C-alpha cells in the first residue's frame, strides 16, 4: 500500500475529483424539476461517482505487472462476462446488453473493452 501511494499522482486525483464533483453538480442542475426526480438523478450520479472512486482506488493498489504473469486472464474474463450477458442479460433498446443489479444497471461490454486492451 505504501509503495502504491509513494508514486501516486495526486494532481491527477484532485483533477478527477474536481471533475466528479462538477459532473454531479451539473446532473443536479440539469435534472427535470419534478417531485423526486431531481433527487433520484442526483443520487444515482453520486453513487456512480463513488463507485468509480472505489474502483480507481482498487486499481491503484494492484501492481500492473501482474498481467505479465497471466496475460490471457483479462481476455478470458471479458469473454466470460459477455457470454453471461448473452445467456441471461436483459434487453435495452432492442439489444441484450445489461445486467440489472437492483438500482444499478451494469453493461459488461464497457468492462470487456478495457479488459481486451489490457490483454
Amino acid at each position: 500500500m505504501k509503495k502504491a501511494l509513494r508514486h501516486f499522482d495526486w494532481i491527477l486525483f484532485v483533477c478527477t475529483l474536481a471533475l466528479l464533483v462538477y459532473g454531479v453538480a451539473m446532473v443536479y442542475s440539469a435534472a427535470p424539476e419534478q417531485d423526486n426526480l431531481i433527487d433520484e438523478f442526483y443520487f444515482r450520479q453520486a453513487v456512480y461517482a463513488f463507485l468509480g472512486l472505489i474502483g480507481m482506488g482498487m486499481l491503484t493498489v494492484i501492481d500492473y505487472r501482474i498481467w505479465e504473469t497471466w496475460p490471457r486472464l483479462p481476455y478470458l474474463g471479458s469473454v466470460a462476462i459477455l457470454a453471461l450477458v448473452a445467456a441471461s442479460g436483459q434487453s435495452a433498446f432492442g439489444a441484450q446488453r445489461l445486467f440489472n443489479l437492483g438500482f444499478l444497471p451494469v453493461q459488461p461490454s464497457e468492462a470487456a473493452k478495457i479488459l481486451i486492451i489490457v490483454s
Side-chain angles (χ1 to χ4, degrees):
M1 181 73 172
K2 285 184 180 181
K3 189 176 182 181
L5 291 179
R6 183 175 52 208
H7 298 292
F8 191 74
D9 191 353
W10 290 101
I11 295 172
L12 180 62
F13 177 72
V14 169
C15 290
T16 302
L17 201 59
L19 285 172
L20 281 174
V21 169
Y22 180 74
V24 170
M26 290 299 104
V27 167
Y28 180 77
S29 69
E33 294 183 17
Q34 295 175 352
D35 298 329
N36 287 333
L37 208 52
I38 291 177
D39 294 336
E40 180 184 339
F41 286 137
Y42 174 72
F43 178 73
R44 188 183 320 165
Q45 186 68 23
V47 167
Y48 290 157
F50 180 73
L51 290 176
L53 283 174
I54 296 292
M56 186 179 78
M58 288 177 9
L59 289 174
T60 299
V61 297
I62 296 174
D63 189 10
Y64 68 90
R65 288 176 287 232
I66 194 170
W67 302 119
E68 292 174 355
T69 309
W70 299 312
R72 293 197 175 123
L73 188 63
Y75 178 74
L76 294 175
S78 64
V79 169
I81 60 173
L82 292 176
L84 281 172
V85 169
S88 65
Q90 292 183 342
S91 64
F93 302 110
Q96 190 166 347
R97 59 183 177 183
L98 293 174
F99 285 127
N100 195 0
L101 305 175
F103 71 94
L104 181 68
V106 177
Q107 214 172 7
S109 63
E110 299 302 321
K113 292 175 190 175
I114 295 170
L115 291 173
I116 292 293
I117 291 169
V118 168
S119 64

